[in-house]
Amino acid sequence: MIKAVIFDLDGVLVSTDVLHYKAWKQLAEEIGIHSYCEADNVRQRGVSRMASLEVVLEKGDKTYTEDEKLAMAERKNNIYVKSLETLSAADVLPGVEEFIKYIKDRGILTAVGSASKNAPLILEKTELLSSMDAVSCGLDTTKSKPDPEVFLVAAKKLGVDPELCMVVEDSDAGIKAAKSGGMTALAVGAAKDNSEADYSAESLAEVDCEKIFA
Ligand code: B16
Ligand code: MG
């Protein structure tokens, strides 16, 4: 029986991956790395900001100090946050509103479990914040997915046992995190073919809710 659903943010509720990509691309160009491309961005999905920076730096041949890396991550974040200015409820992915209504009508609790330190800002701008009973994000955690920390913090904030939580994820690292945290996993989008997931669908609009919650 599922008592709570914990949603990943980027790629599940809203598609900010293109904005992340554009900001990393701008930073890469600024530091003379011209080969960073969209295929590299796929490896940054669900991964922390500093780990994402390493994906960019791998494409160059220079080594940097920790302080230089922190400054680059901050620069990228400033570009990214600026691009979030125009984000609105219109950017919420198809099926999200209906899925949240379906589970809330059945008394199921909702939370977000996202690696992003910008999750509260994104939830506010997309008007999803009021639909969530708890938010667990990069500000609450020290370990990145596939570590289950971000989802375990969400379950704790909700007061629900991990075994009674279902995670919705679009990254393989996130599915691994959900399973190692003892949770049910619903894979969508890029992770839909992940064999570790208990359920899968193209997007939240395509989920067979009766099968999962009946
Ligand atoms: P920030 P998710 C993740 O969001 C993104 O997929 C990933 O590309 C990004 O590096 C990470 O958040 C950290 O984001 O720099 O805003 O703290 O999929 O876990 O919701
Ligand atoms: Mg994601």
Side-chain angles (χ1 to χ4, degrees), residues 8-12 45-46 145 169-171:
D8 171 54
L9 181 60
D10 179 26
V12 170
R45 219 167 263 164
K145 300 168 191 174
E169 254 293 347
D170 73 316
S171 76

Side-chain angles (χ1 to χ4, degrees), residues 7-12 14 16-17 20-21 24 41-53 73 76-77 80-81 84 112-119 122 138-139 145 150-151 169-171:
F7 300 91
D8 171 54
L9 181 60
D10 179 26
V12 170
V14 57
T16 41
D17 50 338
H20 276 293
Y21 172 66
W24 283 123
N41 179 238
V42 173
R43 289 193 290 131
Q44 294 172 309
R45 219 167 263 164
V47 166
S48 74
R49 195 179 304 166
M50 293 309 285
S52 294
L53 172 65
K76 178 267 172 178
N77 192 53
Y80 175 63
V81 169
L84 293 176
V112 162
S114 165
S116 178
K117 291 181 175 167
N118 295 300
I122 295 167
L139 296 168
K145 300 168 191 174
V150 74
F151 297 137
E169 254 293 347
D170 73 316
S171 76

